[in-house]
């Protein structure tokens, strides 16, 4: 692998700070991003790209871009939160197939992040048509975590299952952010998502993830009317929750599903999901998608039993210093 990604210089390839790039130079890459997200994942990223355009316009993004022959052929950007760096975008033109392009850009960005003394770097992007990506990140000490995007049709009949009345399902209005964050942290303890994304390891991190979904529309428009909370009937203890968003026209996305450990394996996850399906169908949506990490066998078994099928596989990366 090392020889494949070994650094070599490409003539006429120039790495520049993203702050020195004008939005119109990124237009064709953005147009393709919008198309790819729609084709591969049913995801409408038009709003996110518009926000990105505004950020690039005011020079408010830290990152790198690569010029080749007068055009921008790749760009990537990151945010630093405390001592954690998150690479949130990594886009490479498909017309420029040499992996060296991505490698050069990553190297330049890692130099930046090193100067900012980050302790951990994670990635939160999907880079389409870059089969060399994992080898490239691994060369720089990153660990690869594979994720699958799954999708289910909302019109297909689902298997019935006897529902226990141990829990009641309540509308989203009955939730409490801190309580749900604590439940989420407990549910993910030692799980695949917590290995990949440090935020899952603490209640404050889970709170930030939930905030991003529910209040900042970080995962599409929040559909609170189809999201629900399960509480134990006898004690009113929170048992689990499902949060759904709308990511494209008539396409729902299961942004979070978690069941507290003491309630797992008793049909609560199935009930939350079945309820989500029927609420989304009532709202006129056609499909529900989600993303799941390899190794999360319990979640995968549940999703398969509910008719989800894989649509796209992609890697994310983490590096601990
Ligand atoms: C994934 C999760 C939501 C499932 O909720 P749950 O309430 O435990 O699931 P259920 O009891 O409804 O079981 C549904 C199916 O999951 C599978 N399952 C349940 N417990 C399992 C276990 N211990 N081992 C393997 N599979 C299991 C079974 O296929 C089961 O269906 P069946 O019993 O009808 O055959 C829950 O385990 C959880 O919160 N995990 C941590 C957070 C997480 O991974 N969320 C999903 C991120 S994509």
């Amino acid at each position: 692998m090392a020889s494949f990604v070994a650094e070599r210089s490409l003539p006429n390839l120039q790495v520049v700070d993203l702050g020195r790039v004008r939005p119109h130079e990124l237009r064709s890459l953005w147009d393709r991003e919008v198309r790819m997200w729609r084709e591969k994942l049913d995801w409408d990223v038009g709003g996110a790209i518009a926000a990105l355009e505004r950020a690039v316009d005011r020079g408010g993004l830290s990152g790198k871009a690569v010029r080749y022959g007068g055009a921008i052929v790749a760009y990537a950007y990151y945010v630093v939160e405390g001592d954690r760096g998150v690479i949130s975008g990594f886009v490479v033109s498909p017309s420029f197939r040499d992996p060296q392009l991505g490698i050069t850009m990553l190297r330049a960005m890692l130099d930046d992040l090193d100067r900012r003394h980050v302790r951990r770097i994670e990635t939160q992007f999907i880079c389409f048509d870059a089969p060399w990506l994992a080898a490239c990140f691994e060369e720089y000490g990153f660990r690869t975590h594979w994720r699958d995007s799954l999708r289910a049709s909302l019109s297909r009949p689902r298997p019935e299952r006897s529902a226990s009345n141990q829990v009641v399902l309540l509308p989203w209005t009955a939730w409490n952010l801190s309580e749900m964050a604590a439940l989420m942290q407990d549910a993910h303890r030692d799980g695949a998502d917590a290995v990949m994304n440090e935020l899952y390891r603490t209640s404050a991190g889970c709170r930030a993830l939930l905030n991003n979904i529910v209040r900042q529309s970080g995962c599409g428009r929040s559909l609170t009317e189809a999201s629900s909370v399960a509480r134990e009937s006898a004690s009113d203890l929170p048992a689990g929750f499902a949060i759904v968003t709308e990511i494209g026209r008539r396409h729902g996305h299961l942004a979070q599903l978690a069941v507290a450990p003491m309630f797992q394996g008793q049909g609560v996850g199935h009930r939350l999901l079945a309820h989500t399906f029927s609420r989304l169908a009532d709202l006129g949506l056609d499909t529900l998608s989600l993303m799941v990490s390899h190794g999360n066998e319990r979640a995968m078994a549940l999703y398969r039993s509910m008719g989800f099928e894989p649509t796209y596989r992609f890697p994310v990366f983490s590096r601990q210093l």
Side-chain angles (χ1 to χ4, degrees):
M1 254 338 136
S3 59
F4 166 56
V5 295
E7 281 205 55
R8 59 192 160 81
S9 57
L10 277 184
N12 307 324
L13 200 119
Q14 189 197 3
V15 181
V16 296
D17 281 335
L18 195 54
R20 290 174 51 196
V21 173
R22 299 312 304 148
H24 70 87
E25 298 182 275
L26 296 167
R27 176 55 51 210
S28 65
L29 289 176
W30 282 338
D31 289 346
R32 179 171 183 274
E33 281 294 288
V34 170
R35 214 169 48 245
M36 295 303 284
W37 278 86
R38 191 182 309 117
E39 277 171 24
K40 306 271 188 204
L41 299 160
D42 293 329
W43 202 303
D44 177 3
V45 295
I49 294 286
L52 202 57
E53 178 166 355
R54 290 193 292 277
V56 170
D57 194 31
R58 58 169 193 273
L61 274 187
S62 302
K64 297 288 175 194
V66 182
R67 272 188 214 285
Y68 181 75
I72 297 291
V73 290
Y75 73 91
Y77 57 94
Y78 61 85
V79 291
V80 175
E81 294 159 353
D83 55 4
R84 176 173 168 267
V86 180
I87 303 178
S88 313
F90 197 97
V91 173
V92 178
S93 162
S95 58
F96 198 110
R97 298 217 170 264
D98 193 325
Q100 193 59 39
L101 175 68
I103 293 161
T104 305
M105 184 164 72
L106 177 60
R107 176 74 257 158
M109 208 159 44
L110 292 179
D111 286 346
D112 267 11
L113 283 162
D114 280 350
R115 276 193 288 276
R116 298 185 64 171
H117 305 294
V118 297
R119 174 191 45 83
R120 183 178 167 87
I121 304 174
E122 294 176 355
T123 71
Q124 282 174 8
F125 62 77
I126 297 181
C127 180
F128 297 104
D129 295 334
W132 41 265
L133 197 69
C136 161
F137 273 79
E138 282 169 13
E139 179 69 10
Y140 289 110
F142 282 83
R143 177 170 172 190
T144 302
H145 314 268
W146 289 95
R147 306 254 293 152
D148 274 315
S149 173
L150 311 184
R151 180 170 49 208
S153 157
L154 291 168
S155 55
R156 259 185 55 186
R158 258 75 340 253
E160 286 291 326
R161 205 179 125 140
S162 58
S164 94
N165 39 18
Q166 184 193 11
V167 298
V168 283
L169 297 195
L170 299 167
W172 196 244
T173 44
W175 94 316
N176 168 316
L177 186 69
S178 303
E179 200 179 43
M180 295 306 145
L183 184 159
M184 187 172 151
Q185 179 204 358
D186 250 12
H188 281 278
R189 204 178 295 279
D190 303 323
D193 291 338
V195 173
M196 164 192 85
N197 184 336
E198 201 177 52
L199 293 181
Y200 282 94
R201 298 181 201 166
T202 63
S203 162
C206 289
R207 203 185 156 101
L209 287 167
L210 291 173
N211 235 328
N212 180 260
I213 298 166
V214 181
R215 304 208 169 123
Q216 291 150 23
S217 303
C219 205
R221 185 173 72 89
S222 174
L223 280 181
T224 43
E225 58 273 54
S227 304
S228 51
V229 175
R231 288 188 176 276
E232 188 179 35
S233 319
S235 65
D236 200 39
L237 276 175
F241 64 87
I243 309 180
V244 213
T245 59
E246 190 171 23
I247 52 159
R249 201 167 160 269
R250 295 167 48 160
H251 295 302
H253 186 72
L254 185 69
Q256 283 294 337
L257 172 70
V259 172
M262 67 182 282
F263 294 100
Q264 286 180 11
Q266 299 163 50
V268 177
H270 185 277
R271 254 188 92 182
L272 280 163
L273 207 42
H275 180 74
T276 303
F277 270 92
S278 72
R279 290 296 297 120
L280 290 175
D282 291 348
L283 291 171
L285 274 73
D286 297 328
T287 56
L288 178 62
S289 68
L290 58 88
M291 287 172 186
V292 61
S293 299
H294 278 209
N296 192 347
E297 298 304 336
R298 186 176 291 193
M300 201 62 190
L302 169 61
Y303 298 145
R304 274 206 205 93
S305 77
M306 297 292 284
F308 281 92
E309 284 170 6
T311 52
Y312 194 71
R313 175 165 297 179
F314 59 95
V316 299
F317 309 100
S318 67
R319 188 178 88 170
Q320 186 82 34
L321 292 178

